[in-house]
Every structure is written in structure tokens, then in C-alpha cells.
Amino acid sequence: MHLESIRLANFKNYPEANLEFSQEINCFLGKNGSGKTNLLDAIFYLSFTKSAGPSLDGQCIRHEEQFFSIKGAFRQEEKQKMVLCGLQTGKKKLVKLDDKPYKKASEHVGKFPVVMIAPNDTDVIRGSSEDRRKFFDAIIAQVDQIYLQNLIQYNHTLKQRNSLLKQFAERDFFDRDLLDAFTDKLIDLGQQIFQVRQKFLESFRVLVNDHYQNLSEASEAVDLQYESQFAGDIRSAFQESERKDLILKRTNVGIHKDEFPFLMEDKPIKKFGSQGQQKSYLIALKLANFDYLYQEKEVKPLLLLDDIFDKLDDFRITKLVEMVASETFGQIFVTDARPERTLGIFEKMDQEVKMFAIESGQVEQMG
């Protein structure tokens, strides 16, 4: 699978752009703030039907415009697949595959898998448990559509239960049957999500460990664990938390409280790992992400590398470039603010490389 071309209209800082890509390596080169990352984000959007960053859909519309659209032509099993993602102000987001609209945009997730490595990925290690849940949910969702729909339903039910708890406090009443109905649904959906996460972690942790050992110059033992209230008596946990839920007006038990501890020598890597060790662990997570999707879907995901040469040391860059040179990956998209560095890295490789110069939302192919 690869992305043959992309056409943008009013997406972020691009009034329009039309690019045709190499099946192997594509580099977006330009100064910081020129729009390199926005091109990667457009490719990410074609896979996930949303931005990779915190941007809401409406914020992807170019300033003072009323709509944006992204059209991508994928080549998959010798067939061309056309994906359209678009939004007009005041209307529902549109997602089409081969000119057929989806009822729900989430149904598209997983059809064209993507792995992105970006500077803000450090949030996965240094951030909150929510950052880690989102990271793993995004991986599993590309493989398991039922998991994704269960997760969407769970989050919707959680909002409803929290809203009900607030109503109890504001109106000074309590309805046991109504609260139990939402609790039962959270337990049912949560149990299904828990089982998938548990099975996923069994295989994923092995991939992470293998990549870490390859990326690290040391031999420290690393691990990835999974902590969930669903590992115990979840119904009792809900009952014991009921008074706390009523006081705080939110649900304090459930799958939305799951944690994924990242460990090095049995200690949290976010507290005890050096900057280099954290970088190795992060890249190991991303490469394990790539391997897992490849194993499960039997197709190499697109690999998006955003400004990573500025964030990694020479040793880790060398390891990553060795994998690129060995054709471990499929189609790759790279951004860099230093064109001479990218040219130096890729010019010695046998793969086809296309270079694009980016300046203030304008794109021009180099060479």
C-alpha cells in the first residue's frame, strides 16, 4: 500500500496543493512554520479522519475560508482507492471512500494504516495516563473496528453517567435504577475493552523490548505493564465508589482509569530514565506500533517522521536510517528544516527519493 498523490484545498496554511509521491521516500523541506508538518497532518487525516494534533476539525480550515478538503489516491493491492475528507463551516464532516460516504467517519479508521513519529510524542512517556491510553487506543483501533466502536460507546455512556451525577447534585434527587443502567453498560463495554487491551499488551510488550535493545547502547531491562480495575471485582469497585462519584459528580471507576506503566529495571522510566533512555523507549514504542500493524494487517503502514533528526542523537538516527536502508519500512514521509542534512542522509540509498521545498504554504518539487 502507498499514497500516490494528495490534493489539498484550504487545509491549514495551504490555499491549494497537488503533490505526487514516490512509493518509497518523500521529504518535505523548509523553514520552521512553513507548513511541513501540516502536509504530514493531511496524510494522517486521510487515515484517521482527524488531525494528529490537538486541532479541532474546524481549526483545520484555512483562515477566513469556509471549508477544507483533502483528497488522497492510495494504491492498494494493485487497485486505486480514492479517499476524500472535508468540512464546510456549519455542516457535518464528510468522509468518502471511492465516492461512497461513510455513515460514521470512525468506520474508515484502519483501512489505510499510519504510524507517525513527532516531537510531541514525549507526552506518551512524560504525560498523563490519558496520553498513554490514547496512544494504545489509536493502535488497536486501526486493527479492530469492534474495539473502536465499543470505545466510542463507552465514552458516550461515561458522559451520560457523569451528566446524571451532576443532575443528582443540582436537583437534590437520586434514582438508583437510572444510575445502575448506565453503570451496567459501562461494565459490559469496559469488560470487552479490557480483554482486547490485555491480549494486545501480551504481544506488544515483546516488540517494544526487542526494539529498545536494538536502539539502546546499554542493556537495561525494560517492560510495559497494564493496570486496570477490571482485573478485579469491577462491580464491587463501582459500588464502593458510588458515594465518591456522587460527591465529585463524576465516575471514578472504569476503563477510562486504566494505566500503562513504562518500566526500566522495574522503575518508572518517566521518573528514573535518562533523556536518552526515554528517547530510545519512545522510538521503540513507535517501531513496535509499526510492526504490530504490519503483522495484523499484512500491509506496511505509511511512516510519517516529523522533524525527528533535530530530536534524536546520532546513534539513534543511525539505527533508524539503517532500518530505512534495509527497506524495513514501506512508504516514508519526512520533514526537515535543514535540506542539506536530509540530502546527506538519503542520497546514498538505493530507494527512490522525492524532495519537496515548502515555503509559506507553497510546495515545489526539487530536482
Side-chain angles (χ1 to χ4, degrees):
M1 178 198 76
H2 66 275
L3 179 63
E4 293 183 320
S5 63
I6 196 169
R7 183 187 295 265
L8 308 181
N10 296 326
F11 182 77
K12 295 196 171 182
N13 71 323
Y14 288 91
E16 62 178 352
N18 190 5
L19 290 76
E20 294 185 358
F21 299 124
S22 162
Q23 295 184 36
E24 296 175 330
I25 301 171
N26 301 274
C27 303
F28 302 136
L29 309 174
K31 297 178 181 178
N32 291 328
S34 60
K36 303 185 302 296
T37 298
N38 289 344
L39 282 178
L40 290 191
D41 201 30
I43 296 170
F44 185 94
Y45 207 113
L46 288 173
S47 178
F48 278 94
T49 71
K50 65 177 183 180
S51 173
S55 302
L56 300 175
D57 288 325
Q59 294 172 325
C60 293
I61 299 176
R62 188 167 176 262
H63 183 58
E64 295 186 344
E65 298 293 342
Q66 298 299 309
F67 78 97
F68 81 79
S69 71
I70 311 169
K71 296 179 182 179
F74 288 87
R75 180 67 57 176
Q76 196 174 56
E77 296 179 351
E78 304 304 317
K79 295 181 180 178
Q80 190 181 68
K81 300 283 187 178
M82 300 297 299
V83 178
L84 168 66
C85 297
L87 179 70
Q88 186 171 344
T89 302
K91 294 189 177 182
K92 184 180 177 181
K93 176 166 59 181
L94 178 66
V95 181
K96 289 183 177 182
L97 177 60
D98 291 335
D99 214 31
K100 296 180 181 178
Y102 290 96
K103 291 182 179 179
K104 295 184 289 186
S106 60
E107 294 173 357
H108 177 73
V109 175
K111 294 189 182 297
F112 304 94
V114 158
V115 174
M116 186 169 186
I117 304 179
N120 62 355
D121 286 335
T122 52
D123 291 347
V124 177
I125 289 180
R126 300 174 189 168
S128 67
S129 58
E130 182 180 6
D131 293 315
R132 287 177 282 283
R133 286 193 299 273
K134 285 182 177 179
F135 173 71
F136 290 116
D137 286 339
I139 299 172
I140 303 171
Q142 291 192 79
V143 170
D144 189 337
Q145 184 63 214
I146 294 175
Y147 176 88
L148 177 57
Q149 298 307 324
N150 282 341
L151 193 63
I152 291 170
Q153 285 188 56
Y154 180 93
N155 289 330
H156 179 66
T157 305
L158 179 64
K159 287 181 181 179
Q160 289 179 311
R161 190 177 191 272
N162 288 343
S163 178
L164 183 62
L165 291 168
K166 291 175 184 176
Q167 289 180 40
F168 287 162
E170 292 167 359
R171 302 178 187 178
D172 194 24
F173 83 104
F174 180 74
D175 187 325
R176 160 68 58 197
D177 292 339
L178 191 54
L179 183 65
D180 284 349
F182 287 116
T183 301
D184 289 345
K185 191 169 183 181
L186 286 182
I187 290 174
D188 177 53
L189 291 168
Q191 192 66 50
Q192 296 178 63
I193 293 167
F194 167 71
Q195 290 172 356
V196 174
R197 285 179 178 175
Q198 194 174 42
K199 183 179 179 182
F200 162 77
L201 258 293
E202 289 175 3
S203 58
F204 193 79
R205 66 194 300 191
V206 176
L207 297 173
V208 172
N209 188 66
D210 288 346
H211 279 297
Y212 184 88
Q213 298 308 322
N214 182 50
L215 287 163
S216 176
E217 296 177 275
S219 58
E220 60 269 5
V222 296
D223 196 11
L224 165 58
Q225 297 184 347
Y226 176 34
E227 296 174 355
S228 177
Q229 295 160 322
F230 276 78
D233 186 343
I234 189 63
R235 192 167 293 279
S236 293
F238 267 101
Q239 292 170 352
E240 292 168 7
S241 182
E242 186 177 281
R243 180 172 173 78
K244 182 180 179 181
D245 290 357
L246 290 167
I247 293 171
L248 298 178
K249 295 176 281 188
R250 65 175 184 269
T251 304
N252 293 279
V253 171
I255 213 74
H256 60 289
K257 295 294 183 178
D258 283 1
E259 175 61 289
F260 298 87
F262 299 154
L263 304 178
M264 183 187 67
E265 301 294 349
D266 296 324
K267 295 178 180 179
I269 197 167
K270 67 186 290 186
K271 290 184 179 179
F272 296 96
S274 68
Q275 190 175 48
Q277 288 166 332
Q278 290 181 7
K279 284 181 179 179
S280 288
Y281 197 98
L282 177 61
I283 300 299
L285 284 171
K286 291 291 186 170
L287 295 178
N289 180 355
F290 182 94
D291 286 350
Y292 180 80
L293 292 177
Y294 184 27
Q295 289 174 9
E296 294 295 320
K297 302 189 75 68
E298 298 182 345
V299 61
K300 290 183 178 180
L302 305 185
L303 183 61
L304 314 182
L305 305 177
D306 187 17
D307 197 27
I308 64 164
F309 298 137
D310 270 345
K311 307 302 178 183
L312 297 180
D313 55 44
D314 290 343
F315 178 79
R316 290 167 184 82
I317 290 174
T318 299
K319 287 290 186 179
L320 204 56
V321 170
E322 285 175 357
M323 296 180 74
V324 173
S326 66
E327 301 185 6
T328 299
F329 307 115
Q331 191 178 26
I332 302 173
F333 297 85
V334 180
T335 69
D336 195 359
R338 292 168 53 189
E340 70 284 354
R341 175 172 53 190
T342 296
L343 289 167
I345 289 173
F346 292 116
E347 67 180 356
K348 300 173 185 176
M349 295 187 185
D350 292 334
Q351 290 99 318
E352 179 191 18
V353 181
K354 274 194 176 183
M355 304 277 185
F356 299 89
I358 316 296
E359 185 174 355
S360 302
Q362 300 294 321
V363 186
E364 183 177 341
Q365 186 176 333
M366 300 167 61

